[in-house]
Amino acid sequence: FKVEKSDISTARQRRIGTMYLIVDITLEKEYRDALSKSEEQYRLLIENAQEAILVVQDKMLVFHNPMMCMLTNYSSEELTNMHITKLLHPDDIKIIYNVYDYVASQHNHTPEHKLQFRLVRKDGSVFWIEFSYVIIRSEE
């Protein structure tokens, strides 16, 4: 149970009593526990995925999973807030920018797309990847 206390006052702000509200929070607690369990399962899925998962916002990496570090040989700290062009082969930057601009201009339509382009590892070596994406709109 959760107890909430409020003063009861007259129009002239004279306190004339106290009101206690007792709320059964059993369902709220069950929802919080279920959400916590779901978040833990999501975290385990992302951290153990065999594919690199990343979130790009304003052409900056704002989230990535451990597989992204393994593929690029950058540390998590190095990847966080890295501009995407640092990971792209110079010949593929224009292609990715065109796709990025197209995706950014879409408001409701999320086509399924797969692209193939080259990434550049920290040591300068280049490798091909197949990339698919989905648009996630944040509520601001």
Side-chain angles (χ1 to χ4, degrees):
F1 291 98
K2 174 173 67 172
V3 178
E4 296 177 4
K5 175 184 167 187
S6 298
D7 289 334
I8 301 172
S9 303
T10 65
R12 294 182 179 213
Q13 302 302 317
R14 186 174 147 252
R15 186 174 170 270
I16 58 173
T18 305
M19 176 177 65
Y20 293 92
L21 180 62
I22 301 171
V23 181
D24 181 352
I25 60 168
T26 303
L27 282 177
E28 183 180 330
K29 181 163 177 13
E30 288 174 2
Y31 290 143
R32 269 197 236 129
D33 291 347
L35 180 59
S36 178
K37 183 178 179 181
S38 175
E39 288 172 346
E40 175 65 14
Q41 290 171 337
Y42 171 78
R43 185 188 63 75
L44 286 170
L45 175 68
I46 297 298
E47 287 182 0
N48 293 293
Q50 296 300 303
E51 295 82 21
I53 299 171
L54 57 122
V55 175
V56 176
Q57 190 173 39
D58 298 324
K59 298 180 182 162
M60 304 292 282
L61 271 68
V62 296
F63 173 84
H64 58 276
N65 69 342
M67 184 55 73
M68 187 68 180
C69 296
M70 290 177 63
L71 287 176
T72 63
N73 295 326
Y74 282 102
S75 70
S76 183
E77 293 77 22
E78 291 171 313
L79 284 173
T80 301
N81 294 316
M82 180 183 284
H83 198 275
I84 59 172
T85 55
K86 188 161 184 176
L87 294 171
L88 299 173
H89 187 277
D91 293 342
D92 295 341
I93 290 174
K94 186 175 180 179
I95 296 166
I96 300 307
Y97 269 25
N98 287 341
V99 170
Y100 189 92
D101 291 342
Y102 171 79
V103 169
S105 72
Q106 300 303 302
H107 297 287
N108 296 316
H109 181 63
T110 307
E112 182 179 329
H113 283 293
K114 289 189 178 185
L115 304 168
Q116 293 178 345
F117 59 90
R118 292 163 286 188
L119 279 186
V120 180
R121 289 187 177 101
K122 185 176 182 176
D123 65 5
S125 62
V126 176
F127 64 105
W128 283 92
I129 64 162
E130 183 173 84
F131 179 79
S132 58
Y133 63 85
V134 350
I135 300 170
I136 301 172
R137 300 277 180 214
S138 64
E139 302 290 324
E140 294 182 36

